[in-house]
Amino acid sequence: MKRIGSLLLVSIFAGAITLGAYKLFFENTKYTIVQADNNEQGSVFNTSFTPTSSKGAGINEIDFTVAAENTVNAVVHVKNVTISHVTSPWDFFYGSGSGTQRAHIGSGSGVIISADGHIVTNNHVIDKADQIQVTLNNNKTYEAELIGTDPNTDIALLKINAEKKLPYLAFGDSNDTKIGEWVLAVGNPFQLTSTVTAGIVSAKARNLGKVDQSFIQTDAAVNPGNSGGALVNTNGDLIGINTAITSQTGSYVGYSFAVPSNIARKVVEDIREYGNVQKGFLGIESLVDLSSPYAIEHGISEIEGVYIASVNEESGADEAGLQEGDIIKKLDDIAIKKYPDLTGYLSTKRPKDEIIVTIERDGELLSVPVTLKGRQTLHIPHLGLEVKNLTKKDRKRFKTDKGVKIIGVPELYRGYGLEGKVLLSLDNQEINDIQDAKNLFGQISKYRKTIITMINEKGERERLIFQ
C-alpha cells in the first residue's frame, strides 16, 4: 500500500513537470497585449480585427435588412394588358367582320418615386399596353395612367391615384457607385410581393452593343419579372432601374443590367416638365476602330479616353474649339475612359447646359467650357434618310432658311441623287428642321404615295414621288 502511494506521488510530479515544460517551451500565445502611449495606459487590443462597417466587410458582416425594409414597400407589380382582335373564316361567313377580342398579359415591376403615386418602370414592360394595372406590396391594385416614355433609355413614367400618401424611394447619385459595392435588386414579379436579391456592382458604363447606352452591371439575380424594379445600395438609396439580363435562355445566368439613377431621374424630370426627353449633344464623332485604316494612318493604337475623329459644324464642341485628334479625358469631375462613359454622363444633361471638357492635346491637358446643344441630326422614318439642321453655311449655299440637309441615304435609294440636297417639304407640307421631318415622315403609311421636294446648290427644285 505504501509502495502504491509512492508510485502515485511520483506520477503526479512527473505529469506536472511535463505540462510545465510544454507550456514554457512549446505552446504559442493566442493573444497580444499592446501597451498604448502614456495617455491610454492599460488599453488592450485583440489582434484579430472584425470589421463593423459595411465598406470592406465580408458578406456575413453586412446588414441588408435596413435597405430591404426601406425598399420593398416602394416596389410594385406592373401588369400590361394588350387587346388583340382575332378573326376566323366563320366571322366573315356570318357577317361579323370584327372578330373576337383576346387579352395578352405581360408583367414586370416598378418603383414609386413620389408620395403622390408617380412610378418609374421600363418602357418594354408597358409597351403597346391598352390597360396598365399596378399592384402595391399590400396587394391593393390601381389603374395606372401612362405619363410618358423614352424608348432610348427604356424608361416609362406612370401615375396612380391612391387614397393616401405612398411610400417611395428618392433617387440616389449613381455617379458615386463603386465597382465591388454591395447592391440589392428589388422586384415584384408575378404578384409574389417584393422579392430581394443581393450582389455586387460588376462594372459601370456597359453599352450592350448600342453606343448611346450606359448600364450598371451587377451579379444580383434579376429575372424578366424584375424588369423595372429597384437597384439600391446598402443605405437603401435608389441607384438604378433594373432593365435587362444577358442570357440565351431568358433567365438569369450571372449578369444583370440597370439604367443608372442619374439617367432615369433626368428622363422622368424631362417627361414631367417638357413631355419628352431633352438631350444635350456635344457634337463630336468618335467611333474609331483601332484596326481601321483611319486608326493606322493617325497612329491610334491604344486610347484611354474618347478620341475625337471629327467635330460637327456649329455644334457646342465646334464653338468651344475642340479639334480632331483631341482625346477627351474628363467631363466635369467624371473620368472618361471609354465612349459609354461619355454618353452616360451626357444623358444626364440638357441643351444649353455648360460642362467642362478636359482634353489631351499634343501631350497637354486643357479644360474647355462647352455649351451643349440639341440634336442636330436624325434618321427619319419611312425612307430611312439621315438629315441634319441647316448651318449658316448651308443657308447661304442653298439660299434657303428652311429645310433639312440630307447627309445619309440607305442603299435602296442611293441612285436617286438625294444626298447633299436640302429637303424642303413632304406632300407640300413645309419642313423647317429635323423635328418637323420626324413628325411628318412618321405619319406616312407604308403604302401611301409620297412626294418630296428638294433643292440643290444651283437653286433648282426637284420633286420625287415614292409609291
Side-chain angles (χ1 to χ4, degrees):
M1 190 72 179
K2 193 180 287 188
R3 186 176 176 182
I4 293 173
S6 300
L7 288 173
L8 180 60
L9 190 60
V10 169
S11 299
I12 292 172
F13 276 115
I17 292 170
T18 302
L19 180 61
Y22 174 79
K23 286 281 189 179
L24 181 62
F25 297 108
F26 297 101
E27 186 175 65
N28 290 325
T29 304
K30 295 295 184 183
Y31 59 87
T32 302
I33 299 177
V34 180
Q35 185 68 47
D37 58 29
N38 293 332
N39 294 326
E40 295 180 338
Q41 291 289 341
S43 297
V44 178
F45 301 89
N46 196 319
T47 55
S48 60
F49 173 68
T50 301
T52 57
S53 166
S54 63
K55 291 188 176 181
I59 188 169
N60 293 329
E61 287 78 34
I62 301 176
D63 186 358
F64 296 102
T65 59
V66 174
E69 289 171 0
N70 292 339
T71 304
V72 290
N73 290 315
V75 176
V76 301
H77 178 74
V78 179
K79 184 165 72 173
N80 166 352
V81 181
T82 304
I83 306 298
S84 64
H85 296 272
V86 181
T87 59
S88 70
W90 297 110
D91 294 317
F92 296 101
F93 183 77
Y94 289 109
S96 174
S98 60
T100 58
Q101 291 185 340
R102 180 176 297 172
H104 299 272
I105 297 176
S107 65
S109 302
V111 184
I112 304 172
I113 57 169
S114 67
D116 64 354
H118 282 92
I119 295 169
V120 64
T121 185
N122 287 146
N123 178 66
H124 75 259
V125 169
I126 52 80
D127 190 32
K128 300 178 182 177
D130 293 302
Q131 182 184 25
I132 303 172
Q133 294 181 344
V134 167
T135 302
L136 306 185
N137 200 41
N138 61 9
N139 289 322
K140 286 189 176 181
T141 298
Y142 299 87
E143 296 293 321
E145 176 190 0
L146 177 61
I147 303 300
T149 68
D150 179 38
N152 289 330
T153 55
D154 199 13
I155 292 294
L157 182 64
L158 311 176
K159 175 72 167 62
I160 62 173
N161 295 315
E163 303 81 18
K164 59 181 182 179
K165 291 185 177 181
L166 299 172
Y168 68 95
L169 291 180
F171 286 108
D173 188 347
S174 53
N175 287 338
D176 291 338
T177 305
K178 307 297 183 185
I179 294 175
E181 177 180 348
W182 283 103
V183 289
L184 299 179
V186 187
N188 197 317
F190 320 119
Q191 279 184 269
L192 297 175
T193 70
S194 292
T195 301
V196 179
T197 55
I200 62 169
V201 175
S202 306
K204 297 175 66 176
R206 290 294 199 209
N207 64 14
L208 299 184
K210 289 183 67 176
V211 297
D212 59 346
Q213 288 182 326
S214 182
F215 290 114
I216 297 172
Q217 178 183 321
T218 80
D219 66 353
V222 172
N223 283 294
N226 294 83
S227 289
L231 186 72
V232 301
N233 59 23
T234 53
N235 294 324
D237 301 322
L238 179 62
I239 60 170
I241 302 298
N242 295 317
T243 295
I245 58 175
T246 175
S247 168
Q248 294 180 344
T249 64
S251 297
Y252 171 77
V253 293
Y255 298 115
S256 55
F257 301 88
V259 178
S261 59
N262 287 2
I263 295 177
R265 174 174 52 200
K266 190 259 182 184
V267 169
V268 167
E269 290 173 351
D270 282 356
I271 289 173
R272 294 183 67 175
E273 186 171 350
Y274 304 103
N276 55 42
V277 176
Q278 307 288 304
K279 189 171 181 180
F281 288 85
L282 188 58
I284 64 166
E285 304 295 335
S286 65
L287 297 182
V288 178
D289 182 350
L290 297 183
S291 62
S292 67
Y294 181 94
I296 295 171
E297 179 184 345
H298 289 78
I300 306 169
S301 58
E302 185 176 350
I303 299 172
E304 185 174 287
V306 171
Y307 181 89
I308 299 179
S310 63
V311 178
N312 298 333
E313 191 177 5
E314 292 190 7
S315 66
D318 183 30
E319 293 176 355
L322 299 187
Q323 302 173 8
E324 176 185 343
D326 291 344
I327 298 175
I328 298 175
K329 309 294 283 186
K330 288 175 66 177
L331 298 180
D332 292 331
D333 294 325
I334 304 300
I336 304 299
K337 296 184 178 180
K338 52 189 183 297
Y339 196 65
D341 291 330
L342 180 140
T343 57
Y345 187 69
L346 291 178
S347 294
T348 67
K349 300 297 178 182
R350 299 182 178 90
K352 299 183 180 179
D353 283 351
E354 183 178 277
I355 61 174
I356 302 299
V357 181
T358 300
I359 59 171
E360 182 182 317
R361 178 185 295 170
D362 299 327
E364 293 185 14
L365 290 179
L366 304 173
S367 293
V368 182
V370 178
T371 300
L372 303 178
K373 293 191 174 185
R375 180 186 289 274
Q376 299 297 309
T377 64
L378 188 72
H379 280 90
I380 56 177
H382 189 56
L383 296 182
L385 303 175
E386 184 179 6
V387 297
K388 76 177 187 69
N389 287 329
L390 299 180
T391 63
K392 292 178 182 177
K393 290 181 181 178
D394 292 329
R395 294 187 183 95
K396 185 176 181 181
R397 184 183 303 129
F398 290 91
K399 297 181 176 62
T400 179
D401 289 328
K402 298 184 178 183
V404 292
K405 189 175 181 181
I406 301 172
I407 58 174
V409 180
E411 189 69 35
L412 180 63
Y413 302 120
R414 289 280 171 84
Y416 290 78
L418 298 169
E419 192 161 8
K421 296 176 181 177
V422 171
L423 181 60
L424 295 175
S425 67
L426 171 68
D427 295 334
N428 296 320
Q429 296 186 71
E430 275 189 350
I431 296 173
N432 294 298
D433 53 28
I434 59 173
Q435 191 59 46
D436 281 352
K438 179 183 178 181
N439 293 338
L440 290 174
F441 277 89
Q443 297 170 8
I444 299 176
S445 63
K446 185 175 181 181
Y447 303 104
R448 179 181 125 188
K449 182 173 74 172
T450 302
I451 303 172
I452 65 171
T453 303
M454 303 177 297
I455 189 171
N456 60 26
E457 291 189 34
K458 296 179 182 179
E460 300 169 339
R461 296 199 173 208
E462 305 174 13
R463 286 164 63 90
L464 286 178
I465 300 175
F466 296 85
Q467 58 183 5

